[in-house]
Amino acid sequence: MQTGAVTMERPELDPDIFVVGENLRTTIAKLYGGRALRIRHIDAGSTNGEEYELTALGNAYYDIERFGLSFVASPRHADILTVSGPVTRNMEHALKTAYEMTPNPKMVIALGDGACTGGIWKDSYAVVGAVENVVPVDYAIPGDPPAPVDILKGLLNAITQAKKVKK
């Protein structure tokens, strides 16, 4: 019988995380002068799959803060709004209010199939549909739900695209 501390092997990290993360870090540093890019997430009616993946971005494996990204509690402090799920009728007004409270220049990212197209609920009486039916969407990250690495890639593409538009 063996006693003592239990040792666990650390799984190898996906190299995409480092490549995308480093690109994010340098792009964010150029655009925002060294401060973090602040994200406010809004669940407009999702199944919470997207929220699980966003939560994973904050764990020790992904650790997005090292790349210059952080989540904030108020849209008034956000640079980006990520919205998941098809927009339910009950969340339509709240989403519009959050959008209006976010300072310019702001970016809205539809996160997941429900937010991008309305998903399987698009013809339901309970939903307004895709996020673009309620507020302007700058970028869409499809998936059901998108994996954390795909979310990072989508964020990088979104801010790179926005940088090109600003020039």
Side-chain angles (χ1 to χ4, degrees):
M1 187 165 145
Q2 193 174 15
T3 60
V6 176
T7 59
M8 294 175 50
E9 289 185 31
R10 183 175 175 183
E12 288 298 314
L13 294 177
D14 184 346
D16 274 357
I17 296 169
F18 294 112
V19 172
V20 173
E22 195 56 33
N23 287 336
L24 267 168
R25 191 184 63 72
T26 55
T27 304
I28 290 168
K30 286 177 189 171
L31 287 176
Y32 293 93
R35 75 166 175 81
L37 179 66
R38 298 172 299 215
I39 302 168
R40 169 66 175 143
H41 178 69
I42 299 169
D43 177 353
S46 78
T47 60
N48 286 355
E50 292 85 0
E51 284 72 27
Y52 285 126
E53 303 303 323
L54 282 173
T55 301
L57 288 174
N59 69 24
Y61 185 82
Y62 294 100
D63 188 21
I64 62 168
E65 293 213 11
R66 67 185 158 157
F67 304 135
L69 295 164
S70 66
F71 288 99
V72 293
S74 170
R76 291 183 180 171
H77 301 137
D79 301 305
I80 292 178
L81 290 179
T82 56
V83 185
S84 62
V87 181
T88 63
R89 297 201 184 277
N90 292 338
M91 283 298 294
E92 181 179 14
H93 178 70
L95 177 57
K96 285 179 183 176
T97 301
Y99 177 80
E100 291 165 2
M101 289 171 51
T102 306
N104 287 322
K106 57 188 153 204
M107 185 181 306
V108 177
I109 298 176
L111 183 63
D113 291 344
C116 295
T117 65
I120 62 172
W121 304 277
K122 66 182 169 194
D123 296 324
S124 169
Y125 68 92
V127 301
V128 178
V131 175
E132 68 184 7
N133 295 349
V134 180
V135 296
V137 171
D138 299 294
Y139 196 81
I141 303 173
D144 191 25
V149 172
D150 294 333
I151 295 171
L152 288 176
K153 288 177 183 176
L155 287 169
L156 177 60
N157 290 337
I159 62 174
T160 302
Q161 193 175 63
K163 182 175 76 171
K164 289 177 184 172
V165 169
K166 288 179 185 177
K167 284 185 178 179

